[in-house]
PDB file of all heavy atoms in Angstrom:
ATOM      1  N   GLU A 308      -2.799  -0.309  17.694  1.00 97.00           N
ATOM      2  CA  GLU A 308      -4.037   0.130  17.048  1.00 97.00           C
ATOM      3  C   GLU A 308      -3.713   0.809  15.732  1.00 97.00           C
ATOM      4  O   GLU A 308      -3.097   1.873  15.696  1.00 97.00           O
ATOM      5  CB  GLU A 308      -4.803   1.087  17.955  1.00 97.00           C
ATOM      6  CG  GLU A 308      -6.156   1.490  17.395  1.00 97.00           C
ATOM      7  CD  GLU A 308      -6.938   2.406  18.326  1.00 97.00           C
ATOM      8  OE1 GLU A 308      -6.435   2.694  19.429  1.00 97.00           O
ATOM      9  OE2 GLU A 308      -8.046   2.827  17.932  1.00 97.00           O
ATOM     10  N   GLY A 309      -4.113   0.174  14.640  1.00 97.00           N
ATOM     11  CA  GLY A 309      -3.898   0.752  13.320  1.00 97.00           C
ATOM     12  C   GLY A 309      -5.199   1.198  12.724  1.00 97.00           C
ATOM     13  O   GLY A 309      -5.948   1.970  13.337  1.00 97.00           O
ATOM     14  N   TYR A 310      -5.521   0.683  11.523  1.00 98.00           N
ATOM     15  CA  TYR A 310      -6.729   1.124  10.822  1.00 98.00           C
ATOM     16  C   TYR A 310      -7.635  -0.040  10.430  1.00 98.00           C
ATOM     17  O   TYR A 310      -8.547   0.130   9.617  1.00 98.00           O
ATOM     18  CB  TYR A 310      -6.328   1.897   9.566  1.00 98.00           C
ATOM     19  CG  TYR A 310      -5.400   3.056   9.840  1.00 98.00           C
ATOM     20  CD1 TYR A 310      -4.030   2.943   9.619  1.00 98.00           C
ATOM     21  CD2 TYR A 310      -5.890   4.259  10.343  1.00 98.00           C
ATOM     22  CE1 TYR A 310      -3.176   4.009   9.865  1.00 98.00           C
ATOM     23  CE2 TYR A 310      -5.042   5.331  10.608  1.00 98.00           C
ATOM     24  CZ  TYR A 310      -3.680   5.191  10.366  1.00 98.00           C
ATOM     25  OH  TYR A 310      -2.833   6.246  10.624  1.00 98.00           O
ATOM     26  N   GLY A 311      -7.394  -1.216  10.984  1.00 96.00           N
ATOM     27  CA  GLY A 311      -8.221  -2.361  10.642  1.00 96.00           C
ATOM     28  C   GLY A 311      -7.910  -3.539  11.527  1.00 96.00           C
ATOM     29  O   GLY A 311      -7.125  -3.446  12.478  1.00 96.00           O
ATOM     30  N   GLU A 312      -8.537  -4.663  11.222  1.00 95.00           N
ATOM     31  CA  GLU A 312      -8.311  -5.902  11.959  1.00 95.00           C
ATOM     32  C   GLU A 312      -7.771  -6.960  11.008  1.00 95.00           C
ATOM     33  O   GLU A 312      -8.172  -7.042   9.850  1.00 95.00           O
ATOM     34  CB  GLU A 312      -9.609  -6.395  12.598  1.00 95.00           C
ATOM     35  CG  GLU A 312     -10.158  -5.473  13.676  1.00 95.00           C
ATOM     36  CD  GLU A 312     -11.401  -6.035  14.349  1.00 95.00           C
ATOM     37  OE1 GLU A 312     -11.768  -7.191  14.007  1.00 95.00           O
ATOM     38  OE2 GLU A 312     -11.990  -5.341  15.180  1.00 95.00           O
ATOM     39  N   LYS A 313      -6.869  -7.774  11.521  1.00 95.00           N
ATOM     40  CA  LYS A 313      -6.238  -8.810  10.717  1.00 95.00           C
ATOM     41  C   LYS A 313      -7.232  -9.917  10.378  1.00 95.00           C
ATOM     42  O   LYS A 313      -7.947 -10.425  11.255  1.00 95.00           O
ATOM     43  CB  LYS A 313      -5.055  -9.407  11.485  1.00 95.00           C
ATOM     44  CG  LYS A 313      -4.372 -10.574  10.794  1.00 95.00           C
ATOM     45  CD  LYS A 313      -3.580 -10.132   9.593  1.00 95.00           C
ATOM     46  CE  LYS A 313      -2.780 -11.281   9.006  1.00 95.00           C
ATOM     47  NZ  LYS A 313      -2.027 -10.876   7.795  1.00 95.00           N
ATOM     48  N   ILE A 314      -7.298 -10.268   9.089  1.00 95.00           N
ATOM     49  CA  ILE A 314      -8.076 -11.423   8.660  1.00 95.00           C
ATOM     50  C   ILE A 314      -7.224 -12.668   8.873  1.00 95.00           C
ATOM     51  O   ILE A 314      -6.091 -12.754   8.380  1.00 95.00           O
ATOM     52  CB  ILE A 314      -8.475 -11.294   7.176  1.00 95.00           C
ATOM     53  CG1 ILE A 314      -9.334 -10.039   6.972  1.00 95.00           C
ATOM     54  CG2 ILE A 314      -9.214 -12.540   6.699  1.00 95.00           C
ATOM     55  CD1 ILE A 314      -9.620  -9.729   5.523  1.00 95.00           C
ATOM     56  N   ALA A 315      -7.738 -13.618   9.615  1.00 94.00           N
ATOM     57  CA  ALA A 315      -6.967 -14.813   9.966  1.00 94.00           C
ATOM     58  C   ALA A 315      -6.567 -15.585   8.709  1.00 94.00           C
ATOM     59  O   ALA A 315      -7.380 -15.787   7.798  1.00 94.00           O
ATOM     60  CB  ALA A 315      -7.766 -15.708  10.898  1.00 94.00           C
ATOM     61  N   TYR A 316      -5.310 -16.001   8.663  1.00 95.00           N
ATOM     62  CA  TYR A 316      -4.808 -16.797   7.547  1.00 95.00           C
ATOM     63  C   TYR A 316      -4.763 -18.255   7.964  1.00 95.00           C
ATOM     64  O   TYR A 316      -4.133 -18.619   8.954  1.00 95.00           O
ATOM     65  CB  TYR A 316      -3.403 -16.322   7.148  1.00 95.00           C
ATOM     66  CG  TYR A 316      -2.766 -17.151   6.060  1.00 95.00           C
ATOM     67  CD1 TYR A 316      -3.274 -17.139   4.765  1.00 95.00           C
ATOM     68  CD2 TYR A 316      -1.659 -17.954   6.331  1.00 95.00           C
ATOM     69  CE1 TYR A 316      -2.690 -17.892   3.757  1.00 95.00           C
ATOM     70  CE2 TYR A 316      -1.063 -18.705   5.324  1.00 95.00           C
ATOM     71  CZ  TYR A 316      -1.586 -18.673   4.044  1.00 95.00           C
ATOM     72  OH  TYR A 316      -1.006 -19.432   3.053  1.00 95.00           O
ATOM     73  N   THR A 317      -5.442 -19.108   7.204  1.00 97.00           N
ATOM     74  CA  THR A 317      -5.493 -20.533   7.536  1.00 97.00           C
ATOM     75  C   THR A 317      -4.692 -21.385   6.556  1.00 97.00           C
ATOM     76  O   THR A 317      -4.540 -22.575   6.770  1.00 97.00           O
ATOM     77  CB  THR A 317      -6.947 -21.036   7.559  1.00 97.00           C
ATOM     78  OG1 THR A 317      -7.557 -20.803   6.285  1.00 97.00           O
ATOM     79  CG2 THR A 317      -7.749 -20.303   8.637  1.00 97.00           C
ATOM     80  N   GLY A 318      -4.181 -20.758   5.512  1.00 97.00           N
ATOM     81  CA  GLY A 318      -3.382 -21.489   4.555  1.00 97.00           C
ATOM     82  C   GLY A 318      -3.898 -21.336   3.140  1.00 97.00           C
ATOM     83  O   GLY A 318      -4.912 -20.673   2.888  1.00 97.00           O
ATOM     84  N   THR A 319      -3.179 -21.968   2.197  1.00 97.00           N
ATOM     85  CA  THR A 319      -3.521 -21.844   0.778  1.00 97.00           C
ATOM     86  C   THR A 319      -3.352 -23.183   0.080  1.00 97.00           C
ATOM     87  O   THR A 319      -2.331 -23.856   0.244  1.00 97.00           O
ATOM     88  CB  THR A 319      -2.608 -20.811   0.081  1.00 97.00           C
ATOM     89  OG1 THR A 319      -2.685 -19.565   0.773  1.00 97.00           O
ATOM     90  CG2 THR A 319      -3.018 -20.607  -1.358  1.00 97.00           C
ATOM     91  N   ASP A 320      -4.367 -23.556  -0.699  1.00 98.00           N
ATOM     92  CA  ASP A 320      -4.246 -24.665  -1.642  1.00 98.00           C
ATOM     93  C   ASP A 320      -3.965 -24.029  -3.004  1.00 98.00           C
ATOM     94  O   ASP A 320      -4.861 -23.469  -3.633  1.00 98.00           O
ATOM     95  CB  ASP A 320      -5.532 -25.492  -1.678  1.00 98.00           C
ATOM     96  CG  ASP A 320      -5.815 -26.158  -0.345  1.00 98.00           C
ATOM     97  OD1 ASP A 320      -4.866 -26.641   0.296  1.00 98.00           O
ATOM     98  OD2 ASP A 320      -6.994 -26.186   0.063  1.00 98.00           O
TER      99      ASP A 320
END
Side-chain angles (χ1 to χ4, degrees):
E308 185 178 358
Y310 305 100
E312 295 184 4
K313 176 72 174 178
I314 299 172
Y316 176 68
T317 58
T319 305
D320 296 320

